[in-house]
Amino acid sequence: MESSTRILILGMDSSGRILQFDRNATAVLSLNADDLLGAHLDEVIPGAKEPLLEALRAGRERTAMLAVETQAGGTLDAVVTVHPMGGGVPDIAALAVVRVPVPLADRFVDPAVIRRALLDDALPRIGSTLDLEMLARGLMDVLVPHFCNSGALMLLESHIDADEAPAGPDGPQLRRMAIGFDDQDPAWDATFPTGESLVYPDGTPHVLCLESGEPILRSLGAEGAARLAAAWRRPPVAELLKGASMLLLPITSAAGVLGIFVCTRNAAHRPFDAYDVEIGMEFASRASIFIESARQYSRERATALTLQRSLLPTGLSAPSPVEVHHRYLPGSRLIEVGGDWYESIALPGARVALVVGDVAGHGVKAAVTMGRLRTAIHTLAGLELPPAEALERLDSLMRTLGEREPHFATCAYVVYDAVSGRCEVASAGHLPPLLAPPGAASEYLPVPPAPPLGVGGDGPIVSREFTVEDGTLLFLYTDGLVENRARDIDDGLARLQATFGPGAAARPLEDLCQAALDGIYDDQHRDDIAMLVARLARIPADRHASWELPAEPAAVRRARGLIRDRLARWGLDDMAHTTTLLASELVTNAIRHAGGRIGLRLVREGGLVCEVFDSSDGRPRIHHHDEEDEATESGRGLHVVGRLAQRWGVRRTKSGKVVWCEQELP
């Protein structure tokens, strides 16, 4: 590295006689100033005459590796470059630029070398990173070995963690972000572990530097090192810092003092002086800009990721025969927050809502909009609205939000019934779901198109219903998986369809998700990716039962008998009394208000669900009566249902509605 070398410059005439030289030449070479002036280059650097003559003859520079004797009697390997001079300086025919490595004992002698190493060579390159820990390690690699033998970067915890108090009862808390040392002694790591959080005792140089915001220079003899060891309660400090020169450099910004650089030189090297303090403060001043940028980025990134992770689902629910797996991949390391989301929400009666959506854009705004949509999805799923109607409600919400801040999103919504094996799917501007039946080729579902949420459209959103075979894979995804700036979306869709080719239905879902992402990780221009894959299957036939009843009073007694027989078969006799009472109220309500044929279904999945189907689309409600109307019976049955059942609800069907209630299984 150039900053670890010393450069000597010698001016010569055409015979090689030295006429000029810089001060580094007298400090390094074996001759003093009087002997060096007038000496021949070949005498000072044996073998240098040949490249000199070649350079003068060809009129171009020549370089050679030669040995140079130092004043200390040693020999250094030097790179000698001879530059012919075309004029300008009388009698100077050529310049010899000699680069020699800096001896270990002389590392901190030349201020120009120190300044170049600290401020010019590595610092601009290191400052390009926004990772605080990586930046800290890079800064210590500059300080050690170019400025000191050992050192540490300490930052205040309150500036790293927003939840940390500025100062505790014992004083401000510092975290050691990185350390550096050049003697390979493992005692440094053991005594000053990276990542340690500590409070320095009052009166120590570290506290004085933090409080004053000024550099602190201390010479530590044996007694000084021992005092620090005693104050810190770390005996190895006495030996490690014995006779050292210590310089503490404050790291300041508009937010105040962020921390300190701790720099030490051992007794074998020149101690710090006023010039070192000046160079060190300039280094700390420039480094503070990088540290402040990385600190703010780390805080903003942590806040954004916390928001994103709090908005994404922490767990997916589904009926027991339905296996669900998901993956989420941010757009890049710099943009880790976006608006893609996924949901799997178990519904009563062995049903599940599978949802994937994508809010346009990136960053916190998209994540906040995504969180609003997820909350609305959960509410709409709880109301058991059909997928098309749920998306229409979401579209209305997005248009309301867009009055203050325009946003739009795409969404695919699927409801699967694990009793009948029926799927209902609707889409708002989203890419078509992929269906992969067992042993057959996969296909994209031709879902009726609709504009994205928040854009609005002329007509209503339309859903599609179909029955799937057990073991069928349903794959929902966002556009980041199949398109980017360099790849056409048709190519991405074809690649995805090939991934879910024949035999895919038998593979583990984790393997399929990984296969779908192959080649995506290395894409530097990708969008966020959310995916949800479900292996659909019906619940066993012995865990549900369905009957059709006439709309007449005798149907109530028949319903009670059918339920008692089924519960006895399932070994749930203890639930018979309550369940028959609930079924009686629901069937009676259907006979009174709906008419026509009535369906009764009992499902044992998660809990015990009793469902009554009728042809009326009117939603039953519980009526609250005054004491004068106490004799009125309207709505009284639903009061009973609300008291006895764990929960109850209503959902619409194409032919009417379903009123259901659920109880916990013993």
Side-chain angles (χ1 to χ4, degrees):
M1 185 181 295
E2 187 173 331
S3 58
S4 299
T5 63
R6 182 173 294 182
I7 299 177
L8 323 178
I9 299 177
L10 306 171
M12 304 153 293
D13 62 14
S14 58
S15 67
R17 190 164 55 93
I18 297 174
L19 304 178
Q20 292 181 352
F21 51 86
D22 65 352
R23 64 176 184 174
N24 281 338
T26 57
V28 174
L29 298 175
S30 58
L31 300 177
N32 56 40
D34 294 336
D35 294 334
L36 189 58
L37 187 62
H40 282 270
L41 179 62
D42 204 41
E43 298 173 355
V44 178
I45 307 175
K49 186 175 182 178
E50 183 177 346
L52 169 64
L53 295 176
E54 289 181 3
L56 292 175
R57 186 167 49 249
R60 300 175 63 181
E61 68 178 46
R62 288 291 185 266
T63 300
M65 286 286 298
L66 302 170
V68 175
E69 291 186 3
T70 66
Q71 287 186 352
T75 301
L76 298 175
D77 291 328
V79 179
V80 181
T81 303
V82 181
H83 300 266
M85 302 294 290
V89 181
D91 302 327
I92 300 296
L95 286 180
V97 179
V98 184
R99 292 177 173 85
V100 296
V102 177
L104 184 62
D106 296 336
R107 249 191 308 166
F108 311 127
V109 172
D110 191 336
V113 172
I114 296 176
R115 177 176 287 275
R116 186 172 65 252
L118 258 61
L119 306 178
D120 299 335
D121 288 352
L123 194 56
R125 184 177 66 254
I126 293 170
S128 62
T129 180
L130 290 173
D131 186 290
L132 191 54
E133 293 183 0
M134 187 179 297
L135 175 63
R137 289 194 297 269
L139 291 172
M140 290 315 304
D141 288 341
V142 175
L143 282 176
V144 180
H146 303 305
F147 188 67
C148 54
N149 298 112
S150 61
L153 171 55
M154 311 288 296
L155 293 181
L156 286 166
E157 284 281 6
S158 58
H159 288 295
I160 302 174
D161 186 352
D163 297 328
E164 189 70 29
D170 299 326
Q173 194 153 356
L174 289 159
R175 185 190 303 178
R176 189 176 296 107
M177 302 298 297
I179 67 167
F181 49 92
D182 62 6
D183 60 2
Q184 308 303 317
D185 187 346
W188 290 103
D189 268 325
T191 308
F192 305 107
T194 301
E196 179 186 22
S197 187
L198 71 160
V199 176
Y200 284 102
D202 286 337
T204 55
H206 304 72
V207 174
L208 295 176
C209 185
L210 286 174
E211 292 176 345
S212 66
E214 299 292 335
I216 302 294
L217 179 58
R218 291 285 188 272
S219 294
L220 301 177
E223 293 183 2
R227 283 195 299 270
L228 280 181
W232 297 347
R233 299 179 182 177
R234 300 192 182 190
V237 170
E239 186 62 31
L240 290 173
L241 299 183
K242 182 179 179 181
S245 176
M246 177 184 289
L247 176 60
L248 305 179
L249 303 169
I251 305 169
T252 59
S253 73
V257 179
L258 303 178
I260 55 176
F261 284 110
V262 182
C263 307
T264 58
R265 289 180 184 171
N266 59 38
H269 294 80
R270 180 179 67 83
F272 293 109
D273 58 18
Y275 194 79
D276 291 316
V277 174
E278 180 184 340
I279 296 176
M281 283 302 296
E282 189 171 351
F283 172 82
S285 176
R286 296 189 189 182
S288 67
I289 299 173
F290 303 141
I291 292 173
E292 176 65 8
S293 297
R295 183 184 71 87
Q296 291 185 2
Y297 170 76
S298 296
R299 278 197 172 187
E300 292 171 2
R301 178 175 176 271
T303 301
L305 287 178
T306 300
L307 172 65
Q308 172 94 10
R309 288 164 184 166
S310 68
L311 294 177
L312 286 173
T314 55
L316 303 178
S317 57
S320 58
V322 178
E323 183 185 358
V324 181
H325 201 82
H326 73 278
R327 290 293 290 271
Y328 175 81
L329 190 66
S332 70
R333 293 180 181 177
L334 293 179
I335 306 175
E336 296 193 44
V337 180
D340 292 20
W341 88 94
Y342 51 87
E343 285 288 357
S344 175
I345 308 168
L347 303 175
R351 297 161 60 249
V352 60
L354 303 169
V355 188
V356 162
D358 182 4
V359 177
H362 300 282
V364 174
K365 291 182 180 179
V368 169
T369 302
M370 175 267 286
R372 290 170 173 169
L373 290 178
R374 275 199 62 234
T375 301
I377 282 287
H378 272 270
T379 302
L380 296 173
L383 293 174
E384 299 191 88
L385 297 180
E389 186 175 345
L391 291 183
E392 288 178 351
R393 300 283 184 93
L394 285 180
D395 178 60
S396 177
L397 172 63
M398 284 293 288
R399 279 187 277 178
T400 302
L401 295 175
E403 293 175 0
R404 291 172 292 178
E405 186 175 351
H407 256 314
F408 71 89
T410 65
C411 184
Y413 193 130
V414 180
V415 173
Y416 173 68
D417 188 330
V419 176
S420 64
R422 295 284 293 173
C423 267
E424 184 176 2
V425 56
S427 173
H430 205 80
L431 290 169
L434 182 63
L435 205 67
S442 58
E443 62 174 341
Y444 289 103
L445 294 175
V447 182
L453 305 174
V455 174
D458 298 332
I461 298 176
V462 181
S463 64
R464 179 192 173 192
E465 286 191 65
F466 53 93
T467 302
V468 298
E469 184 182 350
D470 282 5
T472 297
L473 296 179
L474 176 70
F475 188 69
L476 304 175
Y477 53 96
T478 56
D479 57 1
L481 183 65
V482 293
E483 71 171 335
N484 60 26
R485 300 175 192 173
R487 182 177 60 206
D488 187 76
I489 189 171
D490 291 335
D491 295 335
L493 290 171
R495 182 190 64 84
L496 184 62
Q497 190 170 10
T499 302
F500 284 80
R507 295 176 61 185
L509 299 188
E510 172 66 26
D511 291 352
L512 287 170
C513 286
Q514 187 61 48
L517 288 172
D518 282 348
I520 303 296
Y521 287 104
D522 297 331
D523 186 354
Q524 300 300 314
H525 306 290
R526 68 170 185 263
D527 194 3
D528 304 336
I529 297 172
M531 62 174 69
L532 190 73
V533 58
R535 182 175 281 113
L536 306 178
R538 296 173 175 82
I539 64 174
D542 60 356
R543 285 167 54 184
H544 65 90
S546 300
W547 304 277
E548 191 172 333
L549 305 172
E552 56 187 38
V556 177
R557 178 182 297 177
R558 173 159 172 74
R560 288 198 293 262
L562 292 170
I563 288 175
R564 273 194 295 266
D565 291 344
R566 178 60 59 173
L567 293 181
R569 250 189 252 180
W570 287 345
L572 299 175
D573 300 87
D574 293 343
M575 301 183 68
H577 177 72
T578 302
T579 307
T580 53
L581 180 56
L582 291 170
S584 298
E585 299 296 344
L586 295 182
V587 172
T588 300
N589 191 70
I591 293 172
R592 180 176 297 176
H593 299 287
R597 302 295 292 179
I598 296 170
L600 174 64
R601 188 165 79 172
L602 208 59
V603 180
R604 182 163 60 97
E605 169 58 37
L608 182 63
V609 178
C610 180
E611 300 175 320
V612 173
F613 298 73
D614 62 50
S615 58
S616 170
D617 60 358
R619 184 180 181 88
R621 299 181 181 277
I622 298 178
H623 298 287
H624 299 280
H625 304 287
D626 297 331
E627 291 183 3
E628 298 177 358
D629 301 326
E630 194 171 346
T632 304
E633 294 295 329
S634 177
R636 185 66 52 83
L638 293 181
H639 275 287
V640 174
V641 173
R643 290 293 186 92
L644 295 180
Q646 182 186 13
R647 55 177 178 162
W648 72 280
V650 182
R651 70 174 182 271
R652 287 203 295 273
T653 65
K654 283 189 173 182
S655 58
K657 69 175 182 297
V658 180
V659 184
W660 59 269
C661 61
E662 183 178 23
Q663 304 172 76
E664 285 188 7
L665 289 171

